[in-house]
Amino acid sequence: MATAETKLQKPEFVNEPFVDFAKPENRAAMEAAMKKVASEFGREYPMYIAGQEVKTAEKMQSTNPSHPSQVIGVVQKASAEQAKQAIESAHEYFETWKRVPVEQRVDIIFRAASIVRQQKFELSALICYEVGKSWIEADADTAETIDFLEFYGREMLRMAGPQPLTPMKGEKNFLVYIPLGAGAVIPPWNFPAAIATGMTAAALVTGNTVVLKPSEESPVIARKMVGILYEAGIPKQALQFITGVGEVAGDALVKHPKTRFIAFTGSKDVGLLISEAAGKRQPGQLWIKRAVLEMGGKDATIVDEEADVDAAVEGVALAAFGYSGQKCSACSRAIVSEKVYDSFVQKLVERTNKVTVGPAEDPSNYMGPVVSEGALDGILKYIEVGKKEGKLLAGGGRAPGEGYFVQPTVIADVEPTARVAQEEIFGPVLTVIKARDFDHALEIANGTEFGLTGAVYSKNKAKLEKAQESFHVGNLYLNRKCTGAMVGAHPFGGFNMSGTDSKTGGKDYLHHFLQAKSIAEKV
Ligand code: NAD
């Protein structure tokens, strides 16, 4: 029962420190890990359904976007029938897993955190190879993975404790949080360790069972994390692992009547499909499926005329081009007061031209590739649209090399309603929009269907207060960049078409995986 007295004592949560790659010992550790991980390229990884290793006749390959001919791993291609078997087995095992004492589940999650910590460099190396993150970005992904495990473990202990209620005379009343059932966890590739692990760990630690179907672009990292969770003590039937195509295996999980919840992070279009499919009752379905949907963004940074323009240039450049703009929180619109527009644009272009692009394994490159050929084509098409909708001031095409490299691109003088100012591009493409004044800037910033992150640079307190009240985003940053949310400090999730605002890494998050039961006894 969730009210079990918890004996596990843990010090207060603190974020995992980032690795300082300026230190020779850390560089050497990362180089050794890169070699070790490279020696394992091309291995085949099975799925885990009903506790068994499963292979399929048809396979899928995961390749290195910096060197597309390098095969990181070969994975299975699950059929809809196999997805069905996995969720049915997870549904069956829920009866066992939900009875495992909270302390034991939490203990496993903490153990997983310490295994990740021991294998930190290897996990970061794999992230670097499979999805093209720089060392620094890969390390941040690994650190966030540890943070989610440590944070949700502690949160579960809190939620298992007594919950405050108004006392009722003549009654003993209490409230317990109980798990939901078997759920589908469907993550994206852009935080291939942190998001996949965060959603999975939150579901498991609360007593649910899970079928994890990772993105087609990052199955090997997901497989590594599943291996760590098994090693830590998660039973294979509690965490089933299938790889395959989203539209087939993912869709079958979402639509199955025994699926109790779906934890999804990904694009707006797929999120909406899932929302609709989850809302339709299937024959034999006993519950209303819960869909936790975290989706895309068109995140803006407002640069006010009273801003420190140099700080704004730096913040915008880092948020626009970090991980090649492939973060849901990436700054893709700079909305700049006309009074500082020219100087901001000039400085931004100079800063952009300093961004280095090339293979992610080389730490001298700030930006690695975009994740796939499909992503590359989509981004280049948007750049062509942008050339017509505004003035191209930096970048504008592919960068040299065999990988999927795109130049950091700045398109200025864009109308707020232009396609490149409205649609998520998910690449290193920044649009710059001129605003008459601060109110106009806010109106432009709020003028998309999204509402994920936003930043404001201004020294004027009244303007910052106005932004707090009316900049409609789930994560607002004042005088700092709009990327880099930290677990615990910046609970993360957006409004409108950016999703259900689940606030990952926050104290509300585990509620999505639990339901409350109120019990009152006459005394
Ligand atoms: P995506 O929507 O293409 O895929 C996400 C997942 O959904 C993958 O595992 C995919 O296999 C699966 N999928 C695809 N079609 C499906 C279907 N019909 N039914 C069930 N599952 C299906 O997104 P992506 O390209 O992997 O990730 C990038 C997107 O994720 C961007 O839009 C980005 O903004 C968003 N994102 C949002 C957040 C957030 O917290 N809001 C965080 C990271 C990424």
Side-chain angles (χ1 to χ4, degrees), residues 186-190 213 216 246 250 264-267 270 295-296 328 424:
I186 305 179
W189 49 264
N190 72 330
K213 193 226 67 72
E216 293 86 322
F264 165 84
T265 307
S267 62
V270 175
M295 292 144 56
C328 52
E424 188 183 46

